[in-house]
Amino acid sequence: MCLAVPGRVLDIGEKDGTRMATVDFGGVHKEVCLEYLPDLQVGEYAIVHVGFALQRLDEESARQTLALFEELGMLQEEFGDPWEQAAAQAGADSPWPFADAPCADAPFAGEATAPQHAQDQHAQEEGRP
């Protein structure tokens, strides 16, 4: 689902000739285009949809909306890790990384190793014992 979410402007700058801001969505920070609200200032709130600030919003309305989205789990759905979400939808019991993943015992974080049978097959293809 793609929501229009209220966020608070933390800082404003320019990127490739476009006015951009870092916006806080209840603890999640995203880069947002300010072209539709060129006079939006640091500290103000705006409704943001697909990376564009669309409408200015008062602080109380923003906080109420963020609290409601949080209560309903919609912020996690909107801003959460897509890999964790896919795993949860697939019925995985444990969070990422999975305990039975081929790289679970790798010596360094993120260093994947192929299962032994794949290593053996690769060695045979190269003519190694």
Side-chain angles (χ1 to χ4, degrees), residues 34-46:
L34 299 182
E35 290 298 302
Y36 294 127
L37 293 174
D39 60 340
L40 195 65
Q41 300 298 313
V42 170
E44 291 187 301
Y45 287 81

Side-chain angles (χ1 to χ4, degrees), residues 7-28:
R8 182 175 177 267
V9 177
L10 299 176
D11 63 46
I12 296 173
E14 192 172 301
K15 183 175 181 181
D16 299 324
T18 302
R19 192 163 186 258
M20 302 291 290
T22 302
V23 176
D24 177 17
F25 300 96
V28 176

Side-chain angles (χ1 to χ4, degrees), residues 43-104:
E44 291 187 301
Y45 287 81
I47 297 289
V48 177
H49 182 63
V50 294
F52 292 88
L54 300 177
Q55 180 178 347
R56 186 175 275 105
L57 187 65
D58 67 274
E59 183 174 357
E60 182 58 28
S61 296
R63 288 184 186 273
Q64 287 176 355
T65 303
L66 284 170
L68 179 61
F69 284 178
E70 179 83 31
E71 183 179 320
L72 297 173
M74 297 173 88
L75 287 180
Q76 178 63 23
E77 182 179 321
E78 185 71 11
F79 296 119
D81 183 339
W83 295 108
E84 285 182 15
Q85 291 172 13
Q89 288 176 354
D93 293 331
S94 62
W96 186 266
F98 301 108
D100 61 348
C103 63

